[in-house]
CSV table of all heavy atoms in Angstrom, one decimal:
chain,number,residue,atom,x,y,z
A,7,MET,N,147.0,158.7,84.8
A,7,MET,CA,145.8,159.0,85.2
A,7,MET,C,144.8,159.3,84.0
A,7,MET,O,143.6,159.4,84.2
A,7,MET,CB,145.8,160.2,86.2
A,7,MET,CG,146.3,159.8,87.5
A,7,MET,SD,146.1,161.1,88.9
A,7,MET,CE,147.3,162.2,88.3
A,18,LEU,N,148.4,153.0,92.1
A,18,LEU,CA,149.6,152.3,92.6
A,18,LEU,C,150.6,152.1,91.6
A,18,LEU,O,151.3,151.0,91.5
A,18,LEU,CB,149.1,150.9,93.2
A,18,LEU,CG,148.0,150.9,94.3
A,18,LEU,CD1,147.5,149.7,94.6
A,18,LEU,CD2,148.7,151.6,95.5
A,20,ASP,N,153.9,154.2,89.8
A,20,ASP,CA,154.8,155.4,89.7
A,20,ASP,C,155.0,155.8,88.2
A,20,ASP,O,155.1,156.9,87.8
A,20,ASP,CB,156.1,155.3,90.4
A,20,ASP,CG,156.0,155.1,91.9
A,20,ASP,OD1,155.1,155.7,92.5
A,20,ASP,OD2,156.8,154.3,92.5
A,28,GLU,N,154.9,144.1,75.9
A,28,GLU,CA,154.7,143.9,77.3
A,28,GLU,C,154.4,145.3,78.0
A,28,GLU,O,155.0,146.3,77.6
A,28,GLU,CB,155.7,143.3,78.1
A,28,GLU,CG,155.9,141.8,77.8
A,28,GLU,CD,157.0,141.2,78.8
A,28,GLU,OE1,157.9,141.9,79.0
A,28,GLU,OE2,156.7,140.1,79.2
A,30,VAL,N,155.3,147.3,81.2
A,30,VAL,CA,156.2,147.2,82.3
A,30,VAL,C,156.0,148.4,83.3
A,30,VAL,O,155.9,149.6,82.8
A,30,VAL,CB,157.7,147.4,81.9
A,30,VAL,CG1,158.7,147.4,83.0
A,30,VAL,CG2,158.0,146.2,80.8
A,38,ASP,N,154.5,154.2,104.2
A,38,ASP,CA,153.4,154.9,104.8
A,38,ASP,C,152.0,154.6,104.1
A,38,ASP,O,151.0,155.2,104.5
A,38,ASP,CB,153.6,156.4,104.8
A,38,ASP,CG,153.6,157.0,103.4
A,38,ASP,OD1,153.7,156.3,102.5
A,38,ASP,OD2,153.6,158.2,103.3
A,39,GLU,N,151.9,153.6,103.2
A,39,GLU,CA,150.6,153.3,102.5
A,39,GLU,C,149.6,152.9,103.5
A,39,GLU,O,150.0,152.1,104.5
A,39,GLU,CB,150.8,152.3,101.4
A,39,GLU,CG,151.6,152.8,100.3
A,39,GLU,CD,153.1,152.6,100.4
A,39,GLU,OE1,153.6,152.3,101.5
A,39,GLU,OE2,153.9,152.9,99.5
A,41,PHE,N,147.5,150.4,103.3
A,41,PHE,CA,147.4,149.0,103.5
A,41,PHE,C,148.6,148.3,104.3
A,41,PHE,O,148.5,147.1,104.7
A,41,PHE,CB,147.4,148.3,102.1
A,41,PHE,CG,148.4,148.8,101.0
A,41,PHE,CD1,149.8,148.2,101.1
A,41,PHE,CD2,148.3,149.7,100.0
A,41,PHE,CE1,150.7,148.7,100.2
A,41,PHE,CE2,149.2,150.1,99.1
A,41,PHE,CZ,150.4,149.6,99.3
A,54,GLY,N,148.7,140.7,99.3
A,54,GLY,CA,148.7,140.0,98.0
A,54,GLY,C,147.7,140.6,97.1
A,54,GLY,O,147.9,140.8,95.8
A,58,CYS,N,148.3,142.1,93.3
A,58,CYS,CA,147.5,141.8,92.1
A,58,CYS,C,147.0,143.2,91.5
A,58,CYS,O,146.8,143.3,90.2
A,58,CYS,CB,146.4,140.8,92.5
A,58,CYS,SG,147.0,139.2,92.9
A,66,CYS,N,146.8,147.8,82.2
A,66,CYS,CA,146.0,148.9,81.4
A,66,CYS,C,146.7,149.7,80.5
A,66,CYS,O,146.1,150.3,79.6
A,66,CYS,CB,145.2,149.7,82.4
A,66,CYS,SG,143.9,148.8,83.3
A,73,ILE,N,140.7,152.7,76.4
A,73,ILE,CA,140.1,153.1,77.5
A,73,ILE,C,139.9,154.7,77.4
A,73,ILE,O,140.9,155.4,77.3
A,73,ILE,CB,140.9,152.8,78.9
A,73,ILE,CG1,141.1,151.3,79.0
A,73,ILE,CG2,140.3,153.4,80.1
A,73,ILE,CD1,142.0,150.9,80.1
A,85,ASN,N,143.4,133.9,88.2
A,85,ASN,CA,143.7,132.3,88.2
A,85,ASN,C,145.2,132.1,88.3
A,85,ASN,O,146.0,133.0,88.0
A,85,ASN,CB,143.3,131.9,86.8
A,85,ASN,CG,141.8,131.9,86.6
A,85,ASN,OD1,141.0,131.6,87.4
A,85,ASN,ND2,141.5,132.6,85.4
A,95,PRO,N,158.2,147.5,102.7
A,95,PRO,CA,158.6,148.9,102.5
A,95,PRO,C,160.1,149.1,101.9
A,95,PRO,O,160.9,148.4,102.4
A,95,PRO,CB,158.4,149.6,103.9
A,95,PRO,CG,157.4,148.6,104.6
A,95,PRO,CD,157.7,147.2,104.0
A,105,ILE,N,148.8,140.8,77.2
A,105,ILE,CA,147.6,140.3,76.9
A,105,ILE,C,147.8,138.9,76.1
A,105,ILE,O,148.5,138.9,75.2
A,105,ILE,CB,146.9,141.2,76.0
A,105,ILE,CG1,146.7,142.5,76.7
A,105,ILE,CG2,145.5,140.7,75.6
A,105,ILE,CD1,145.9,142.5,78.0
A,107,ARG,N,145.0,136.9,75.1
A,107,ARG,CA,143.9,136.9,74.1
A,107,ARG,C,142.9,137.9,74.6
A,107,ARG,O,142.8,138.3,75.7
A,107,ARG,CB,143.4,135.4,74.0
A,107,ARG,CG,142.7,134.9,75.2
A,107,ARG,CD,142.2,133.4,74.9
A,107,ARG,NE,141.6,133.0,76.1
A,107,ARG,CZ,140.3,132.9,76.4
A,107,ARG,NH1,139.4,133.4,75.6
A,107,ARG,NH2,139.8,132.4,77.6
A,117,GLY,N,151.0,137.9,84.1
A,117,GLY,CA,152.0,138.9,84.5
A,117,GLY,C,152.8,138.4,85.7
A,117,GLY,O,152.5,137.3,86.4
A,125,LEU,N,161.3,136.8,91.7
A,125,LEU,CA,159.9,136.7,91.6
A,125,LEU,C,159.1,136.7,92.7
A,125,LEU,O,159.3,135.9,93.7
A,125,LEU,CB,159.7,135.4,90.8
A,125,LEU,CG,158.3,135.3,90.3
A,125,LEU,CD1,157.6,136.2,89.4
A,125,LEU,CD2,158.1,133.7,89.7
Side-chain angles (χ1 to χ4, degrees):
M7 285 192 291
L18 299 170
D20 295 328
E28 288 186 319
V30 178
D38 64 349
E39 290 90 349
F41 49 81
C58 290
C66 288
I73 300 173
N85 296 306
I105 304 296
R107 66 185 175 92
L125 181 63

